Amino acid sequence: MTDTTTTIRYAEARTTTGRVRGAWRGEPGAGGSAAFLGIPFAKAPVGDLRFAAPVPVDPWEGVRDALEFGATAQRGDTGITLIPEPSVPGESTLNVNVFTPAPGATGTPLPVLVWIHGGGYVSGSPASPWYDGRAFNRDGVVTVTISYRLGFDGFGRIDGAPSNRGVRDWLAALQWVQDDIANFGGDPSRVTIAGQSAGGGAVLRLLALPAAQHLFHSAWALSAALADVPPDRAEAASARLAALAGVAPTRDGFASAPEATLHGLQSKASRAPSRDRLAGVRAMLDDGLSWGPAVDGDLVPQPTVAALRDGVGADKPLVLGSTDDEFTMVLDGAARALRLVPAGLALSRLGVPRDRRRDYLADNAAQRRKGTAAVLGRYVTDAIFRSTVARVAEARGAAPTWVYRFSWPSPTKRWALHCLDVPFWFDCLDEPGVAAIAGDAPPRRIAAALHGAAVALVRGDDPGWPAWSSTPGTTRVFGGEASASDVIGDGYRSVRALV
């Protein structure tokens, strides 16, 4: 009989609140790394702390196991998603996960990457196998993934409660890194923040946040989705949620409703009722997300791009980019129905003004040849993601900024779609779920190039191509046509009409 018992090699590290026990993957000092999972950076946000700012945890005695992911703010089975991000039940949802090749090392400290997951600020989880820092550890980078409160609990406006609780969670997690990452072999003076989708939006929000400037030193935003919810919309969404839940729109009122009740109603409350089937799409394009960082005149004094234009974060290197067709695939099912509808007419139904339609279609002739559904999908992509890249790069002016595009089309989904770049960025092409989005043989040369650029930035170097801030428009293309240059002069020309 074969013994299938696996011997766990434990690793220990101290934190300011107590010792933690993680586990090695591979041999210490021979390419292996240790994972410390579910380390709390704040008390469980329940009871009196449910709508409070994050509160530091109390010290503990002995050694605390950090062998499994902690509870997540995301609840329940989310079904099949592009990135596998499982929910973990429990109350203590404010945790960090640390992946390090050198826990407790006393030698030269290693640079640190802090990853913020996406999910539209209402879902997502740091417990994805794609976010394992193994490849970054291999390349001499300590990796931290963080959790934060989502949806209404994290971002809804509540009379009598601190604003932007999810943003405050990001700040608390980054403060934990400053206080404790040296005990895991990391250098708190060399911290890069990175994230994708809402996580990319979080990165840009933090870059533009005066209160965050001392907590990190460079940033990488993948497919950033900004929220910047204005005060009137934040108040209106909270009022609708209170009415749907049958409670007063106050801290005590919302606290009287179970978490599951508010979670189940927050999507319905995010938009004003309408019989127009396109109203939700138009609202998303015109107004953006309903739950997410809100301009509150306090912690978040102004919108992200405005703050960047005013010079906040200008001392920090930034890399940002998007995939070419983030959301184009969502219109694939409508391709037949739209095949005879002129693209200009379809855009007009989305409320796109005449002059903008004309200019946009002129700059997207190649996409137009793929059909009206492809044009609409690309327009949604550009309005939400790709125009943000150009606006942020332009707003930063001379601040060190590099821009890229991820152009390799998925062999299973047809497009260079949302989330496709993430396993390449993490160099984790063999992880579960990657084949569903990237096929059975994704090109490792693209992973080597994209991941290598990320490692270079984290180490303090430039990512390997000329900066947009030196020559505006300069763009690195990952996964483009083999015959085309990897670096082009006006990589976001097609979104000019939206900037």
Side-chain angles (χ1 to χ4, degrees):
M1 181 176 178
T2 302
D3 183 5
T4 58
T5 302
T6 301
T7 301
I8 299 176
R9 187 191 297 267
Y10 294 109
E12 287 191 13
R14 64 179 175 85
T15 74
T16 53
T17 48
R19 296 192 64 80
V20 291
R21 179 186 295 114
W24 282 96
R25 298 90 55 79
E27 291 295 318
S33 67
F36 295 82
L37 308 177
I39 304 172
F41 66 82
K43 291 183 178 180
V46 297
D48 291 340
L49 300 182
R50 180 175 175 191
F51 298 121
V55 175
V57 296
D58 296 325
W60 58 81
E61 298 292 333
V63 182
R64 181 186 186 121
D65 277 343
L67 302 172
E68 297 180 348
F69 285 109
T72 61
Q74 175 178 273
R75 300 304 196 188
D77 183 0
T78 59
I80 298 174
T81 54
L82 293 174
I83 298 178
E85 292 182 320
S87 300
V88 180
E91 294 185 340
S92 185
T93 57
L94 300 180
N95 309 292
V96 295
N97 309 294
V98 182
F99 306 91
T100 174
T106 57
T108 302
L110 300 174
V112 180
L113 167 69
V114 177
W115 177 260
I116 306 174
H117 71 78
Y121 305 103
V122 296
S123 63
S125 160
S128 174
W130 293 15
Y131 305 154
D132 187 301
R134 195 185 306 263
F136 279 103
N137 294 168
R138 176 198 68 203
D139 297 325
V141 174
V142 175
T143 305
V144 181
T145 63
I146 70 173
S147 59
Y148 55 98
R149 280 171 282 184
L150 302 170
F152 178 78
D153 273 40
F155 301 99
R157 184 185 182 281
I158 306 173
D159 287 340
S163 61
N164 286 299
R165 296 168 296 281
V167 178
R168 297 174 194 273
D169 294 342
W170 302 336
L171 295 174
L174 289 171
Q175 186 61 58
W176 183 95
V177 171
Q178 289 296 306
D179 295 341
D180 283 309
I181 204 62
N183 299 318
F184 296 83
D187 185 350
S189 71
R190 290 193 293 165
V191 174
T192 297
I193 59 172
Q196 183 260 353
S197 195
V203 167
L204 296 182
R205 182 65 274 175
L206 288 165
L207 181 65
L209 198 68
Q213 297 305 301
H214 64 295
L215 297 173
F216 64 97
H217 309 89
S218 60
W220 188 306
L222 298 82
S223 304
L226 295 175
D228 290 334
V229 182
D232 58 334
R233 287 187 53 235
E235 185 172 0
S238 293
R240 286 194 295 270
L241 182 61
L244 289 168
V247 300
T250 63
R251 183 170 183 169
D252 288 343
F254 286 118
S256 69
E259 174 192 339
T261 298
L262 298 185
H263 182 270
L265 293 171
Q266 67 183 10
S267 177
K268 186 176 181 181
S270 65
R271 302 292 178 199
S274 175
R275 294 182 179 179
D276 185 345
R277 289 183 297 176
L278 294 177
V281 177
R282 281 198 293 266
M284 172 70 75
L285 296 177
D286 294 341
D287 301 328
L289 299 168
S290 295
W291 307 117
V295 179
D296 59 13
D298 177 25
L299 179 64
V300 181
Q302 60 185 142
T304 300
V305 175
L308 295 174
R309 186 174 290 112
D310 284 349
V312 181
D315 61 320
K316 295 174 173 57
L318 168 67
V319 180
L320 77 164
S322 68
T323 67
D324 279 0
D325 283 284
E326 302 273 1
F327 281 0
T328 303
M329 67 173 288
V330 302
L331 271 297
D332 281 351
R336 183 175 179 84
L338 291 170
R339 71 188 189 283
L340 299 179
V341 178
L345 176 61
L347 289 173
S348 72
R349 291 293 309 280
L350 293 181
V352 183
R354 181 191 297 266
D355 289 347
R356 183 183 296 178
R357 293 199 306 267
R358 182 193 62 230
D359 294 344
Y360 182 79
L361 291 173
D363 287 338
N364 287 272
Q367 192 78 354
R368 195 171 183 178
R369 289 192 289 271
K370 298 175 184 178
T372 295
V375 171
L376 290 183
R378 174 65 68 84
Y379 183 83
V380 173
T381 291
D382 290 348
I384 297 174
F385 297 102
R386 299 181 74 241
S387 62
T388 297
V389 174
R391 288 191 294 118
V392 167
E394 291 183 0
R396 296 244 308 161
T401 306
W402 290 262
V403 167
Y404 72 93
R405 284 169 42 188
F406 189 89
S407 300
W408 182 72
S410 163
T412 63
K413 305 293 185 182
R414 184 184 176 194
W415 306 102
L417 73 159
H418 199 55
C419 303
L420 179 61
D421 51 340
V422 174
F424 291 86
W425 197 84
F426 273 95
D427 193 11
C428 65
L429 298 181
D430 295 322
E431 290 296 330
V434 173
I437 192 174
D440 294 328
R444 295 185 183 276
R445 60 180 175 78
I446 299 178
L450 184 55
H451 176 76
V455 170
L457 181 76
V458 176
R459 287 177 175 169
D461 301 324
D462 73 56
W465 66 91
W468 176 299
S469 47
S470 298
T471 308
T474 303
T475 304
R476 170 68 158 95
V477 180
F478 292 97
E481 295 289 340
S483 59
S485 173
D486 287 342
V487 179
I488 58 179
D490 198 359
Y492 282 80
R493 176 189 176 92
S494 63
V495 302
R496 290 185 306 177
L498 308 183
V499 176

